[in-house]
Amino acid sequence: QKAAQNLKPAVPIKFHISSRTDAGVHALCNSAHLDIQRAPGKPAFNVKQLIYSLNYHLKPEPIRILNAYRVTDSFHARFSALSRTYVYRLLMGCRHHSEIPVFEKDLCWAPMGGHLNVPAMEDAAQFLLGTHDFSTFRSLNSETPFQSPVRTILQADIRPSSGFLSHHYEHRGLEFWELKFRSRSFLYRQVRRMVGALVAVGQGKLKPHHIKELLEIKDSRAFPPNAMAPASGLFLKSVEY
């Protein structure tokens, strides 16, 4: 918003982002919309000018504008989204946090205790698909009383992945896995709770059917204590329109 304000618009910029993330969560891609009106007599920005100018003013920040599009007045970056896709990166095979590759620091979660039972996690993930009351899988915040806990999970996949420069430490027996979730929208910390519950299944602390039982309880206090996945492994991958 500050970068856009530096373009000297005729009226103050109103900036609307598609999704907010918790502190410590990353975004590979996000989207926003703004209305920018230039002073009388000045031509409207073209797409290239807008991208270049915004990125010039964003130099100190870990943000880059990748693309820009003209949209209709009825478009809204948040409410027009058809779905949002999140990816959670897990590192398996670490017996101690000191074994996490230095280039992966704060970019994944390495649950202690070595490898996880992935087939059990895949079975458990099937219970999350579809439309459910996800009350147990949300953290409470100021918006909770005004927000329906019903969400539809369109995708819940667990797949092998690669780490940054991973070919240099393949001999160490480390494995990267990605958990991908897609929905029109998510509740507060819902993805981190779903990941934490699936990891608990992978560790044998829960059985796959316990995920179904947690859904049916519909109470955030029933979520296993200390099971929520940390923010560092979570990435907003894309917003679909």
Side-chain angles (χ1 to χ4, degrees):
Q1 185 161 310
K2 285 178 185 174
Q5 212 52 60
N6 281 331
L7 304 185
K8 298 183 170 57
V11 294
I13 294 287
K14 288 183 179 178
F15 185 88
H16 303 271
I17 198 157
S18 73
S19 297
R20 293 176 298 168
T21 58
D22 301 342
V25 174
H26 315 283
L28 298 170
C29 188
N30 204 342
S31 52
H33 82 263
L34 52 84
D35 298 313
I36 184 160
Q37 187 178 323
R38 300 200 77 185
K42 288 201 168 186
F45 283 110
N46 65 42
V47 166
K48 279 187 176 177
Q49 281 177 320
L50 192 61
I51 294 171
Y52 176 85
S53 302
L54 287 174
N55 282 333
Y56 176 82
H57 293 292
L58 284 168
K59 272 183 185 174
E61 305 294 338
I63 302 169
R64 290 298 173 268
I65 307 303
L66 303 178
N67 229 320
Y69 307 89
R70 289 191 184 280
V71 290
T72 62
D73 285 345
S74 61
F75 177 86
H76 195 285
R78 181 179 174 189
F79 301 118
S80 298
L82 299 176
S83 64
R84 294 161 174 83
T85 301
Y86 281 88
V87 167
Y88 198 98
R89 299 181 71 239
L90 286 177
L91 174 57
M92 299 185 198
C94 286
R95 289 158 300 181
H96 188 265
H97 64 80
S98 62
E99 295 181 5
I100 299 170
V102 68
F103 294 111
E104 294 287 353
K105 187 179 184 297
D106 298 327
L107 297 173
C108 63
W109 177 27
M112 294 303 108
H115 292 276
L116 304 173
N117 182 344
V118 174
M121 294 169 67
E122 289 173 329
D123 290 345
Q126 297 308 300
F127 290 115
L128 298 170
L129 285 171
T131 303
H132 306 283
D133 181 321
F134 281 95
S135 291
T136 308
F137 288 88
R138 70 169 167 186
S139 295
L140 304 180
N141 66 1
S142 58
E143 293 179 9
T144 301
F146 312 104
Q147 213 174 35
S148 167
V150 176
R151 292 292 185 273
T152 301
I153 301 296
L154 303 167
Q155 182 179 12
D157 292 341
I158 305 173
R159 293 180 182 168
S161 180
S162 59
F164 183 61
L165 298 174
S166 59
H167 57 284
H168 288 292
Y169 48 80
E170 280 171 346
H171 63 283
R172 291 169 53 189
L174 302 179
E175 290 180 13
F176 282 90
W177 289 75
E178 285 186 359
L179 285 73
K180 184 185 285 188
F181 299 93
R182 185 164 59 89
S183 174
R184 187 166 188 272
S185 61
F186 294 90
L187 298 166
Y188 181 50
R189 291 181 175 168
Q190 180 185 346
V191 176
R192 290 171 60 191
R193 282 192 167 213
M194 291 191 298
V195 170
L198 293 178
V199 166
V201 169
Q203 293 171 326
K205 295 175 182 176
L206 296 177
K207 298 292 183 190
H209 68 84
H210 286 137
I211 301 299
K212 184 172 184 283
E213 291 172 11
L214 286 170
L215 281 169
E216 290 169 350
I217 291 170
K218 302 176 186 175
D219 186 347
S220 65
R221 294 167 297 183
F223 189 76
N226 305 315
M228 184 169 67
S232 55
L234 184 58
F235 295 75
L236 174 61
K237 183 177 186 289
S238 57
V239 183
E240 294 81 36
Y241 294 96

